[in-house]
Amino acid sequence: MGNEIAKQAPAVANPIPYTQYDPKDGVFCTTDGTAEHVIRYAPSGPASEAEFPATTLPKIFQDVLKTKKANNSALRVERPCPPLVDKKAPPALAPEDWTTWTYKAYYDECSEIAKALIALGVEQHDAVNIFGFNAPEWFISEMGAIFAGCKAAGVYPTDTPKLIQFKASHSGSKVAFVEDKAKLDKYKIAAKELPDLKAIVVWGCEAEDVEGPNGKIPCYTWADFKKLGETVTDEQLTERMDAIKPGHCCALIYTSGTTGPPKAVMISHDNILSDANYCMLQMDGIGTSGGEERVLSYLPLSHVAGMMVDIIMPIVATAKRPGWVATSFARPYDLKAGSVGDRLRAVRPTLFLGVPRVWEKVAEKIKKLGAQTKPGLKKSLIGWAKGSSLTHQQNSQLGGNGSAPMGMFMANILLNKVKEKLGLDKCKFGFTGAAPITKETLEFFGGLGIQINEVYGMSENSGATTWSTDNCHVWGSCGYELPGCEVKIFKVDETDIDKKTECPKAADLQHLSEEEKGEVCFRGRHIMMGYMAQPKLGEDHVAKIGEKLAGAIDAEGWLHSGDQGACDATGMFKITGRYKELIIGAGGENIAPVPIEDNVKKLCPVISNFLVIGDKRKFNVALVTLKAVGATGESAGTDELDGEAAEFDAGVTTIGQAANNAAYVKMIEDAIIATNKDGDVCPIPPSTIKKFTILPNDFSIEGDELTATLKTKRSVVDAKYAAAIDAMYDSKGTYVCHADLVGKGASEAAEAPAKDVAAEATAEATAEDTAEATAEATAEATAEPAAEVAKE
């Protein structure tokens, strides 16, 4: 993956704009989940009617059945799922022992579920909830609901009963598909306040009685529910399918809800299929050879990225291309147990999406193994191969000459052994999205010969709008607009989104001026229908949703992302922050926290999460978490230090000890000093950090600091650790030990003389020493032989 790089990339990636709206027509968007959305074709190109006529998901699935690929593998899962042994995942089953659905079997079972929904009295435009970890039943529930003309409304596996109740009530869910006993127990609590719920269907556990506000709610096993549909004929199902229009809503994607209740993004059949088509065009090597492509499904399917990559794109690619796509499933405990790598080795995907935290975790494991490896010939050879590959990857970025060092062929042979042990040796296209990824992570994998392509988009545009490729990428950029999309950077009037001026193209994405930065805006067939309002929740709710929608899409059809970014003359985009996350200092200064946070983490590898706080305050402070054993993103892990945090001082083994250790505190402090003095990261004095504290645990989904896609909930963290934050502002010292905040005594570091980090006299020399030491440590850690990687 990433070895065959073109020497010359296009100067402008997508010169054909999507379309130009006629302002007289206005832009149709709605809060009504039963409305038919207008299809706005482009005059030419991938978004035109000639090249991609509007259709529906049932029809494009039927296109697959018209080909010889109908009997090819579509879904694979390990059944029965073996349990954890001493909290560790057992090895994967042999591929031939996995349970498999062909495309025909997949379609037929979706039809059975659709018939059962019709038999139960579920009407077109009704909603269906799906609550569980990734499984064939999740796919079949969603597609079965869509076959019946319904809206699929996924629920995150980590959602609380309160969130479940809100999403079920807001969507008007008539039926809920639920994974197992633990999920059913959660849904039971929510069901007590769901008068419209007709039934619950379970897979992976026995059916149980469920109490609703009006008495018992029927609960069916998967098999028993399908039997309900035996009374519905094929003709009745066909009639229901034929009533579906491309502009009808097929899915509700609930936003993270970090600043209030989640909003329901309405995605039409044409929205999702258009975006899938654009993505397929970007991944031009997927499905073109006529063989099997493989996807590993493990990210939340209620998120638009999971739905697009795991469910929709495989069907579209199989219908439109010579090859076919088979989706394999991770086990429900793989994320928490840290055993996704085992599934990768079993599946060997040709297409792999990893959120930044997943890529970072893989890198940390490899570095840990490298640090344990004794010097020798093998280690030296792999170190040479990685250096050669990194040079090649750097030269292969947009504007480079694509040249490779001598011996690159031999380097690739060595690195392919490493990739084989990672399960990525067959991967044709690796990519990341949902959150920013650091340049250091991209460089690390570049050294392995793996190009991680960045995708940028949001629920409101059906998943993706910009995307880098192996042939056209710049590390730190999220790529160029997808074929068929239109993306621009505008300076937007704060009081009227229709008043906007396009920003000038950036001369250098790494050194941006304020004039070059503006709001990233999208236009195209993939833009949502709107945010759905639920009249049963009252007039105030409907009015508020209408206001949200009016502030999201302007009169010319531009979706305003809320993200700040820039675009250079080659058409490459860079995201610099989110306007809602921008810190507004006491003096009114706009401060982008993400570059500051990334830079500190780069300089201080013991850090897991680093969050800058300072909105409407006199200066910035930071919350720090350290790398800990068992911290997977879903779980906060233990108090035991892991990775570089554990290796820094052999005598310090826990977070609590590190928080009271002057050497750990100084290492973090030095990274902050260096960051404060970096004019590209902290261009103005108010952007510097004055104080910090080390928290007793890492951020996690379970702790509610992270979303289901591992993005930080800044407002939640701000509120949860308010006492720690306030204490930093009240303290005289640079470092405030968290133990002091909970009455556990002072630390040596906290008792050190107070000093202003930003004005430290010796900061420059210290920063240079720290950066040099960090570079040396990273180089050593990443030089492990393939034989050592095999141990993992």
Side-chain angles (χ1 to χ4, degrees):
M1 181 171 68
N3 292 330
E4 300 299 326
I5 308 291
K7 289 188 177 182
Q8 186 174 0
V12 179
N14 183 22
I16 302 175
Y18 160 68
T19 188
Q20 294 294 324
Y21 284 96
D22 184 344
K24 292 182 296 183
D25 294 340
V27 177
F28 176 77
C29 50
T30 182
T31 59
D32 179 5
T34 68
E36 183 180 352
H37 202 53
V38 174
I39 310 299
R40 289 193 175 271
Y41 291 110
S44 61
S48 67
E49 185 173 16
E51 288 197 20
F52 195 77
T55 186
T56 66
L57 278 163
K59 284 184 168 57
I60 209 157
F61 206 145
Q62 289 163 4
D63 288 343
V64 175
L65 302 188
K66 297 173 184 176
T67 71
K68 295 179 180 179
K69 294 171 285 188
N71 292 317
N72 290 350
S73 297
L75 310 174
R76 295 192 183 102
V77 67
E78 294 176 81
R79 292 278 171 85
C81 178
L84 291 169
V85 179
D86 295 328
K87 297 183 179 180
K88 294 182 179 179
L93 297 174
E96 60 268 20
D97 294 331
W98 290 39
T99 302
T100 302
W101 279 254
T102 65
Y103 268 96
K104 184 178 187 308
Y106 179 15
Y107 180 91
D108 289 344
E109 195 157 359
C110 293
S111 298
E112 290 179 89
I113 292 297
K115 287 180 177 180
L117 289 169
I118 294 170
L120 197 64
V122 177
E123 301 289 342
Q124 185 179 10
H125 305 303
D126 282 345
V128 168
N129 282 161
I130 312 164
F131 181 38
F133 184 72
N134 306 31
E137 288 83 359
W138 214 109
F139 283 41
I140 294 165
S141 298
E142 170 154 295
M143 293 305 298
I146 291 170
F147 279 18
C150 300
K151 301 185 290 285
V155 178
Y156 283 112
T158 52
D159 276 354
T160 63
K162 183 178 179 181
L163 267 175
I164 295 167
Q165 191 278 329
F166 172 80
K167 291 177 180 179
S169 178
H170 180 272
S171 64
S173 177
K174 296 296 193 295
V175 175
F177 293 89
V178 180
E179 176 191 9
D180 56 19
K181 180 68 167 63
K183 304 286 191 307
L184 181 59
D185 287 344
K186 277 189 178 183
Y187 211 96
K188 280 182 177 180
I189 298 172
K192 294 175 182 178
E193 299 181 48
L194 298 176
D196 296 329
L197 192 65
K198 291 177 175 288
I200 294 177
V201 184
V202 294
W203 79 86
C205 68
E206 295 299 319
E208 297 181 11
D209 289 341
V210 177
E211 290 292 337
N214 302 318
K216 299 283 187 184
I217 298 174
C219 184
Y220 300 92
T221 64
W222 185 260
D224 287 342
F225 185 69
K226 289 195 295 182
K227 290 178 182 177
L228 293 181
E230 293 175 357
T231 60
V232 177
T233 66
D234 290 342
E235 289 73 22
Q236 287 173 297
L237 177 58
T238 299
E239 184 180 354
R240 180 67 71 92
M241 287 182 176
D242 288 345
I244 301 169
K245 304 300 180 186
H248 283 155
C249 181
C250 68
L252 298 177
I253 307 294
Y254 280 91
T255 61
S256 299
T258 56
T259 58
K263 298 187 294 292
V265 175
M266 294 187 294
I267 301 297
S268 74
H269 290 257
D270 188 66
N271 289 156
I272 197 79
L273 288 173
S274 293
D275 204 49
N277 184 49
Y278 306 155
C279 293
M280 185 179 67
L281 293 173
Q282 198 77 325
M283 298 181 288
D284 55 9
I286 300 297
T288 56
S289 65
E292 179 181 86
E293 308 291 355
R294 294 180 297 280
V295 172
L296 177 66
S297 179
Y298 71 102
L299 294 174
L301 296 170
S302 44
H303 188 273
V304 71
M307 178 184 176
M308 170 62 77
V309 175
D310 297 0
I311 303 178
I312 307 302
M313 195 279 295
I315 296 173
V316 175
T318 303
K320 297 290 183 182
R321 292 202 159 167
W324 72 97
V325 183
T327 303
S328 297
F329 295 88
R331 296 166 176 174
Y333 48 68
D334 278 328
L335 281 174
K336 187 175 288 188
S339 52
V340 171
D342 188 41
R343 302 286 88 67
L344 283 172
R345 287 185 285 273
V347 174
R348 298 172 80 188
T350 59
L351 181 72
F352 180 66
L353 167 63
V355 295
R357 189 63 177 154
V358 168
W359 289 109
E360 289 164 7
K361 279 294 185 183
V362 173
E364 287 169 10
K365 283 190 175 184
I366 298 174
K367 290 177 184 178
K368 185 176 181 179
L369 285 171
Q372 297 169 354
T373 304
K374 295 179 180 180
L377 179 60
K378 287 184 178 180
K379 185 168 185 174
S380 297
L381 284 173
I382 293 296
W384 163 78
K386 286 184 173 181
S388 298
S389 178
L390 180 57
T391 298
H392 185 206
Q393 292 282 351
Q394 289 169 333
N395 292 343
S396 298
Q397 295 183 72
L398 187 63
N401 59 17
S403 64
M406 288 185 63
M408 196 65 221
F409 177 78
M410 182 59 68
N412 284 336
I413 292 175
L414 290 170
L415 293 176
N416 281 339
K417 294 182 181 295
V418 178
K419 290 189 281 187
E420 183 178 349
K421 299 306 177 184
L422 292 175
L424 293 174
D425 57 312
K426 299 298 182 183
C427 193
K428 301 175 183 177
F429 200 88
F431 56 113
T432 189
I437 190 169
T438 64
K439 185 179 179 182
E440 290 65 42
T441 302
L442 298 173
E443 289 176 339
F444 176 82
F445 283 97
L448 294 176
I450 296 173
Q451 163 63 25
I452 302 175
N453 294 299
E454 293 189 68
V455 181
Y456 168 64
M458 53 199 303
S459 302
E460 286 87 340
N461 63 245
S462 309
T465 285
T466 74
W467 205 329
S468 64
T469 67
D470 287 0
N471 287 339
C472 189
H473 65 273
V474 176
W475 287 339
S477 161
C478 56
Y480 52 91
E481 58 192 20
L482 285 169
C485 303
E486 190 175 9
V487 187
K488 288 188 178 181
I489 308 295
F490 291 112
K491 289 289 186 187
V492 182
D493 189 296
E494 293 183 2
T495 61
D496 186 352
I497 64 171
D498 290 327
K499 296 178 180 178
K500 56 189 183 294
T501 304
E502 188 173 359
C503 296
K505 300 294 184 183
D508 180 0
L509 288 178
Q510 306 308 315
H511 304 89
L512 295 168
S513 69
E514 287 303 311
E515 289 183 355
E516 294 166 337
K517 292 187 287 187
E519 187 170 13
V520 186
C521 296
F522 320 129
R523 204 158 65 169
R525 275 171 68 178
H526 63 320
I527 302 304
M528 67 173 179
M529 300 171 64
Y531 297 121
M532 194 184 85
Q534 177 53 265
K536 292 181 180 179
L537 297 182
E539 293 181 2
D540 288 346
H541 160 77
V542 174
K544 187 173 291 186
I545 295 299
E547 290 173 7
K548 294 280 187 184
L549 183 55
I553 300 178
D554 68 28
E556 293 181 317
W558 290 102
L559 170 67
H560 291 244
S561 70
D563 289 320
Q564 184 189 67
C567 178
D568 68 12
T570 68
M572 302 299 280
F573 288 86
K574 180 182 179 68
I575 306 303
T576 57
R578 184 152 182 81
Y579 280 103
K580 289 181 180 178
E581 291 182 350
L582 288 179
I583 293 171
I584 310 300
E589 308 88 358
N590 284 359
I591 301 164
V594 173
I596 300 171
E597 294 159 353
D598 286 347
N599 201 69
V600 173
K601 288 194 292 183
K602 175 185 70 174
L603 297 177
C604 189
V606 304
I607 294 175
S608 177
N609 281 287
F610 189 90
L611 195 75
V612 179
I613 305 289
D615 198 46
K616 299 178 179 64
R617 297 183 185 257
K618 55 188 177 182
F619 55 83
N620 296 331
V621 301
L623 299 174
V624 182
T625 73
L626 303 180
K627 293 177 179 176
V629 172
T632 60
E634 184 172 340
S635 171
T638 68
D639 183 49
E640 185 181 353
L641 294 173
D642 195 17
E644 292 94 332
E647 296 158 9
F648 181 67
D649 187 333
V652 178
T653 60
T654 68
I655 295 174
Q657 291 172 346
N660 285 275
N661 183 279
Y664 276 82
V665 172
K666 186 177 186 302
M667 185 181 187
I668 298 169
E669 188 174 79
D670 287 347
I672 294 173
I673 290 170
T675 299
N676 285 345
K677 293 184 71 65
D678 188 328
D680 290 330
V681 181
C682 294
I684 55 175
S687 60
T688 59
I689 300 166
K690 304 287 188 180
K691 302 179 182 183
F692 69 97
T693 190
I694 299 172
L695 298 178
N697 52 266
D698 202 355
F699 296 159
S700 67
I701 296 172
E702 291 177 350
D704 201 32
E705 297 100 343
L706 303 179
T707 68
T709 53
L710 307 183
K711 288 183 285 190
T712 305
K713 296 181 178 180
R714 292 180 180 271
S715 60
V716 171
V717 173
D718 201 328
K720 183 172 182 176
Y721 297 100
I725 295 166
D726 291 342
M728 281 191 280
Y729 283 101
D730 294 337
S731 170
K732 294 181 180 179
T734 294
Y735 173 63
V736 182
C737 182
H738 193 268
D740 295 345
L741 307 177
V742 291
K744 292 184 178 180
S747 70
E748 177 186 352
E751 291 171 348
K755 57 184 176 180
D756 186 337
V757 179
E760 175 61 44
T762 60
E764 190 167 359
T766 304
E768 290 173 354
D769 292 343
T770 302
E772 184 177 352
T774 301
E776 290 176 358
T778 302
E780 172 69 14
T782 57
E784 84 292 354
E788 292 300 317
V789 178
K791 293 179 181 178
E792 188 57 24

